[in-house]
Amino acid sequence: MFITQRFIKRLKAFLTSIDYPYTDCYYPEIVQKLVFELVPKGRTIYDIGQLIKEYRFFNLREKRIFKVFNHPVHSQNYQTIDIGVITNSFTYDSSYEKVVITNALTKGYVFPYNRYKLISTVEGKNIDMIKSGRYFSLNNSNYQIKTSFSTIELSYRNDLIMKYSMSHWGKKYRFKTKIMNDYMIDQLGDTFTLSRRNLDQQKEIIGKVEINEFINAFVPSGVAIVHVIDDTVYELMVMFAIGLMYSMIYSESSSRSAS
């Protein structure tokens, strides 16, 4: 297993950026904890995406990392190599809850669009969202998603709330509305604003979702940021975002398989 200067420098830059406290040993569980704490604090979806991609890269190369720290020459090189100034752009905004959803933290690449990690700024809300058959569900929530290829049906109990799909062509995301009932979607680039009619029949914003995709050599992965402004719509916003990501990634994966 060949260790390069470039790998050591990239590793040190990554560990420094997450404030990893050790320079002479590697603890994967501490790295995971630090990354999961930082992810929802990213200022931009690009920052979050870069952090996830770096974590993913090194998480798949643990044996090589252990060799860096356990080999005297490599360890000394790690101590002395210059990585310049590393700035941390991750800060916590307590004015609202932020939930980051991604399928890029799954182990392996087998049907990765069926499994998602939810990482929240609120302690205790980090969960794995797993697709069972044609359905996604959130803990004991009354909200549920049913999938049919890339089409999403979001229901509350047995009542259909909305039906939609997503596609990604030419670096542009396209939201296709089928049924929205009293809900409305406004898209500006990679940001989707979800609104509904209040009692006065006025348009009321209930949340926003930012979404971005990673293209890798295997299958598409992605990240979505859910801005939860009103706790009463937390479950709805999370499930809506899961639907966006699943539909987009499923469509992209299917188009790749067909080409």
Side-chain angles (χ1 to χ4, degrees):
M1 188 183 301
F2 189 65
I3 306 295
T4 65
Q5 284 281 98
R6 182 179 178 182
F7 180 83
I8 294 175
K9 189 172 184 177
R10 182 175 177 180
L11 174 63
K12 187 172 182 179
F14 167 66
L15 295 180
T16 301
S17 72
I18 65 173
D19 294 327
Y20 183 70
Y22 302 101
T23 60
D24 58 349
C25 52
Y26 184 75
Y27 298 105
E29 65 278 6
I30 295 178
V31 172
Q32 183 187 80
K33 180 177 182 295
L34 291 171
V35 169
F36 282 16
E37 287 175 352
L38 282 177
V39 160
K41 299 176 183 179
R43 293 179 185 175
T44 69
I45 198 167
Y46 175 80
D47 293 335
I48 294 172
Q50 288 298 110
L51 175 60
I52 289 174
K53 285 193 285 186
E54 284 298 283
Y55 173 68
R56 172 79 181 180
F57 176 85
F58 289 110
N59 194 37
L60 295 174
R61 292 163 175 81
E62 284 188 359
K63 289 183 179 179
R64 194 179 301 182
I65 296 173
F66 283 125
K67 185 174 182 179
V68 170
F69 285 99
N70 293 333
H71 192 286
V73 173
H74 296 321
S75 180
Q76 178 63 26
N77 194 4
Y78 180 89
Q79 304 289 334
T80 58
I81 197 167
D82 182 19
I83 58 171
V85 178
I86 303 295
T87 58
N88 191 327
S89 62
F90 291 75
T91 57
Y92 177 60
D93 182 356
S94 60
S95 61
Y96 60 88
E97 180 179 355
K98 184 190 292 183
V99 183
V100 174
I101 303 171
T102 182
N103 70 324
L105 297 177
T106 57
K107 288 288 187 180
Y109 282 103
V110 180
F111 298 111
Y113 46 80
N114 287 346
R115 190 183 190 107
Y116 297 83
K117 183 73 179 176
L118 276 63
I119 307 175
S120 171
T121 50
V122 175
E123 188 176 356
K125 283 193 176 182
N126 296 352
I127 67 168
D128 288 314
M129 176 74 76
I130 302 171
K131 187 171 184 287
S132 178
R134 297 173 65 188
Y135 295 91
F136 283 110
S137 56
L138 179 64
N139 292 342
N140 297 318
S141 171
N142 287 312
Y143 289 95
Q144 183 175 254
I145 282 177
K146 179 181 178 182
T147 67
S148 178
F149 301 101
S150 63
T151 298
I152 304 300
E153 293 184 9
L154 175 56
S155 300
Y156 179 77
R157 296 179 178 171
N158 294 321
D159 296 328
L160 180 64
I161 299 174
M162 59 184 79
K163 185 176 180 179
Y164 58 92
S165 64
M166 277 279 292
S167 63
H168 182 200
W169 297 98
K171 297 184 179 181
K172 293 183 179 180
Y173 305 101
R174 183 184 175 195
F175 183 87
K176 301 177 183 178
T177 301
K178 295 176 172 64
I179 299 171
M180 292 296 286
N181 288 323
D182 293 328
Y183 293 90
M184 294 146 284
I185 189 76
D186 293 302
Q187 179 183 351
L188 181 61
D190 57 5
T191 300
F192 299 82
T193 302
L194 188 63
S195 305
R196 65 184 171 193
R197 298 288 183 188
N198 59 23
L199 294 177
D200 296 324
Q201 294 301 303
Q202 294 179 328
K203 191 175 181 180
E204 176 186 30
I205 295 176
I206 62 173
K208 293 184 179 181
V209 179
E210 297 176 72
I211 194 166
N212 205 350
E213 186 181 36
F214 309 149
I215 299 296
N216 54 57
F218 299 93
V219 294
S221 300
V223 59
I225 303 174
V226 185
H227 299 274
V228 184
I229 301 169
D230 182 352
D231 286 341
T232 63
V233 296
Y234 169 82
E235 295 175 357
L236 172 64
M237 288 303 306
V238 167
M239 295 302 284
F240 174 69
I242 284 284
L244 286 178
M245 282 204 66
Y246 173 84
S247 181
M248 183 185 72
I249 292 172
Y250 180 91
S251 297
E252 180 67 18
S253 183
S254 297
S255 66
R256 283 179 156 219
S257 299
S259 61

